């Protein structure tokens, strides 16, 4: 449980680990990096509860490519009288960075406030995902609407690098 972002993260979930490995050939093809270029690093099941969010950030070095898969977004029973499609979008802003394998990101993101404010929302439906370069593209989810919860799986990969231990 992370009190600041109001979310629960589950590490070491075996089925998510299997899926992370099984998705690797598809992600290699979709990213254009080619077969045998990526190693899965971790899956990250997350549940965002009431007032959940994730602040604007770049991913860590073991998370060069991310697949954010939306399992389910829904409105709690007590809030179901509200009508309309339930969405809780992600936002992305290209930083212009192209960080190499294992390279540390900047201490502060080189982003202008107006660029962040104009970022278009990426609204996923249940069973949709978005693949992105989490080390080069700043991303976030603002606090969600009252009563909305989200289950997602974030899968992570890094490029194979001969300079790293065992490549």
């Amino acid at each position: 449980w992370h009190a600041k972002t109001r979310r629960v993260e589950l590490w070491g979930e075996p089925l998510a680990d299997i899926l992370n490995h099984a998705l690797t050939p598809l992600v290699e093809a979709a990213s254009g990096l080619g077969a045998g270029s990526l190693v899965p690093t971790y899956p990250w099941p997350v549940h965002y509860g009431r007032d959940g969010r994730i602040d604007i950030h770049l991913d860590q070095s073991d998370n060069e490519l991310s697949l954010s898969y939306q399992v389910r977004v829904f409105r709690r029973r007590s809030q179901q009288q509200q009508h309309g499609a339930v969405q809780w979008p992600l936002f992305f802003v290209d930083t212009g960075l192209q960080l190499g394998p294992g390279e540390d990101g900047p201490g502060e993101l080189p982003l202008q406030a107006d660029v962040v404010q104009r970022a278009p929302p990426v609204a996923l439906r249940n069973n949709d995902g978005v693949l992105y370069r989490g080390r080069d593209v700043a991303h976030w989810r603002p606090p969600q609407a009252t009563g909305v919860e989200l289950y997602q799986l974030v899968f992570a990969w890094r490029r194979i690098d001969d300079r790293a231990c065992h490549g």
Side-chain angles (χ1 to χ4, degrees), residues 40-85:
T41 52
Y42 57 83
W44 195 1
V46 179
H47 170 242
Y48 289 91
R50 180 179 173 199
D51 300 323
R53 71 175 192 283
I54 187 70
D55 296 330
I56 191 166
H57 69 283
L58 295 177
D59 290 334
Q60 62 180 332
S61 61
D62 273 349
N63 192 358
E64 293 179 49
L65 279 173
S66 297
L67 173 63
S68 287
Y69 171 72
Q70 181 171 302
V71 177
R72 181 174 180 227
V73 65
F74 62 98
R75 208 178 304 277
R76 278 188 247 120
R77 291 185 202 277
S78 63
Q79 302 291 324
Q80 285 186 358
Q81 65 274 12
Q82 298 176 15
H83 298 287

Side-chain angles (χ1 to χ4, degrees), residues 9-151:
E9 301 168 355
L10 181 62
W11 289 96
E13 203 292 310
L15 183 56
D17 283 332
I18 290 168
L19 287 172
N20 202 175
H21 284 266
L23 287 168
T24 301
L26 177 66
V27 171
E28 288 172 333
S31 67
L33 294 173
S37 61
L38 296 174
V39 61
T41 52
Y42 57 83
W44 195 1
V46 179
H47 170 242
Y48 289 91
R50 180 179 173 199
D51 300 323
R53 71 175 192 283
I54 187 70
D55 296 330
I56 191 166
H57 69 283
L58 295 177
D59 290 334
Q60 62 180 332
S61 61
D62 273 349
N63 192 358
E64 293 179 49
L65 279 173
S66 297
L67 173 63
S68 287
Y69 171 72
Q70 181 171 302
V71 177
R72 181 174 180 227
V73 65
F74 62 98
R75 208 178 304 277
R76 278 188 247 120
R77 291 185 202 277
S78 63
Q79 302 291 324
Q80 285 186 358
Q81 65 274 12
Q82 298 176 15
H83 298 287
V86 178
Q87 293 184 335
W88 187 23
L90 280 160
F91 290 84
F92 297 92
V93 172
D94 188 355
T95 63
L97 298 172
Q98 291 185 340
L99 299 173
E103 184 179 348
D104 289 334
E108 290 187 29
L109 292 176
L111 301 173
Q112 295 177 342
D114 63 324
V115 172
V116 172
Q117 290 173 348
R118 289 192 320 264
V122 176
L124 302 174
R125 294 183 304 242
N126 293 342
N127 204 33
D128 276 352
V130 60
L131 182 65
Y132 55 96
R133 295 182 186 274
R135 301 265 298 136
D136 301 333
V137 177
H139 49 286
W140 68 97
R141 283 186 195 271
Q144 84 276 24
T146 302
V148 174
E149 294 187 31
L150 170 71
Y151 288 96

